[in-house]
Amino acid sequence: GVHSNGFSLVRKIFDVNQENLREFYPSLGATLGETLLTPTKIYVKAIQAVLDAQIDIRAVSHITGGGFYENVPRMMTEGLTAVIDLKSFPRPPIFDLIQEKGNVPERDMYNTFNMGIGMIVAVDPKDAEKAMDAMKAAGETPYVVGSVEAGEKGVILC
């Protein structure tokens, strides 16, 4: 969900008030207020599970304000680029609604919101399945969202 990202923009787009917070959106399966009040996830159990499985975590990025474009590059070293496959994870319907109602450009959506991915954990590709199994055992729903490639320090969304 939205977690704690972009609430100033959300309030502006929806002109948040008691009435529209109670409005039911079929695409959300809930009211706007219920959707926006979905608690922020805390990922400590998932990260601890990966560490307990003795997997070498190369980098971690909490996708908070600044979305993918500001947070992911912070975890990269010079000469490496994160390549994120946008089709590799589901996009929660709240983000489609925000984008449509606010006429927000796609890049701005990924620069403001987590788009359904609250944390990115980089591990060696040979450890990816084991890391995902550990996260699942900790109650999370992980996805392999991309890869790390040679390139300018940063992130590419495709």
Side-chain angles (χ1 to χ4, degrees), residues 8-21:
S8 294
L9 180 58
V10 168
R11 282 191 297 274
K12 182 177 179 178
I13 288 171
F14 290 101
D15 190 26
V16 173
N17 59 52
Q18 290 297 318
E19 184 178 325
N20 62 17
L21 285 175

Side-chain angles (χ1 to χ4, degrees), residues 54-129:
Q54 299 183 342
I55 297 166
D56 180 27
I57 295 176
R58 303 283 177 88
V60 175
S61 181
H62 192 209
I63 310 303
T64 59
F68 287 79
Y69 287 108
E70 292 180 29
N71 293 295
V72 175
R74 291 186 192 125
M75 67 189 267
M76 306 309 297
T77 59
E78 290 300 324
L80 295 177
T81 298
V83 179
I84 308 293
D85 177 0
L86 299 180
K87 293 180 180 79
S88 65
F89 58 93
R91 178 173 159 153
I94 184 64
F95 298 114
D96 294 330
L97 186 61
I98 290 168
Q99 186 172 20
E100 180 184 317
K101 286 193 90 53
N103 196 27
V104 180
E106 188 81 356
R107 180 176 170 82
D108 291 352
M109 291 296 296
Y110 283 92
N111 197 52
T112 303
F113 300 104
N114 67 37
M115 305 304 284
I117 299 296
M119 179 164 284
I120 293 180
V121 179
V123 299
D124 189 297
K126 70 177 176 44
D127 293 329
E129 189 172 327

